[in-house]
Amino acid sequence: MIKKTAVPLLIVGCVVIGVLGYAYVGGSFYSKHEAAFSDVKEMQYNSETFMAVFYEPACDLCQKAEQVFEEFSEKHDAKAVTVNVKEMDENVRDPLMEENMSVPVFYYFIDGQLAMRIDGYHPLDVYEQGLEEIKSTWERQSDEREE
């Protein structure tokens, strides 16, 4: 009797653990917003306003910063893309990419133009202060162009 119930319980237990594991991994900010570097370039070309985060899955600071990036995206209704640098073509040559880039790297684009870059992990208020500064500068420059 025990053998007959143990096997189905073991199978059910494995399925439950698998589903919970998939929900945890599949629900991360990075995986929900995963994009290729070419997607970032296309968004720039299309003059979109968005945030991009370059990260490595095994990076402790990237994992620590994930919640901050998610909160920033939600709080400011910012379109977000994340790029796993380990999956990028190593021959990419672009001003966004530095040879010895440390991750995570946070980029904020306004109308496709790079407006802010912050390297490393920081508290949410650092990103928010940066956003306020660039928005006021962007508005001031926009007003000057209209005059």
Side-chain angles (χ1 to χ4, degrees):
M1 176 79 173
I2 294 175
K3 287 184 181 180
K4 288 183 178 180
T5 57
V7 172
L9 285 175
L10 182 62
I11 291 171
V12 169
C14 289
V15 169
V16 168
I17 290 171
V19 168
L20 291 175
Y22 178 77
Y24 174 74
V25 172
S28 78
F29 175 77
Y30 293 136
S31 65
K32 284 191 269 184
H33 299 284
E34 188 71 36
F37 184 71
S38 59
D39 297 325
V40 173
K41 299 309 290 178
E42 184 175 333
M43 293 170 74
Q44 279 188 279
Y45 180 79
N46 291 331
S47 300
E48 295 184 43
T49 297
F50 64 101
M51 63 181 269
V53 177
F54 287 61
Y55 75 101
E56 287 183 17
C59 165
D60 290 338
L61 287 179
C62 297
Q63 298 309 316
K64 191 173 177 180
E66 183 175 20
Q67 182 62 38
V68 172
F69 298 140
E70 183 167 27
E71 191 174 336
F72 180 92
S73 175
E74 290 173 359
K75 189 172 181 181
H76 298 284
D77 197 27
K79 183 175 184 177
V81 294
T82 59
V83 178
N84 179 346
V85 297
K86 291 294 186 186
E87 293 181 1
M88 288 179 54
D89 180 352
E90 57 190 51
N91 297 319
V92 170
R93 299 284 181 250
D94 190 273
L96 288 180
M97 304 302 297
E98 294 178 358
E99 194 166 315
N100 296 318
M101 180 175 75
S102 63
V103 289
V105 182
F106 173 89
Y107 296 97
Y108 194 83
F109 296 87
I110 298 177
D111 299 332
Q113 300 296 313
L114 179 59
M116 177 172 56
R117 174 186 170 152
I118 300 176
D119 293 64
Y121 166 72
H122 302 278
L124 179 62
D125 65 325
V126 170
Y127 301 95
E128 290 181 327
Q129 288 171 0
L131 182 63
E132 291 306 313
E133 286 178 28
I134 63 170
K135 282 187 172 182
S136 65
T137 300
W138 209 263
E139 290 171 4
R140 197 171 41 249
Q141 289 174 349
S142 179
D143 291 343
E144 290 172 2
R145 284 189 291 259
E146 290 177 5
E147 292 176 357

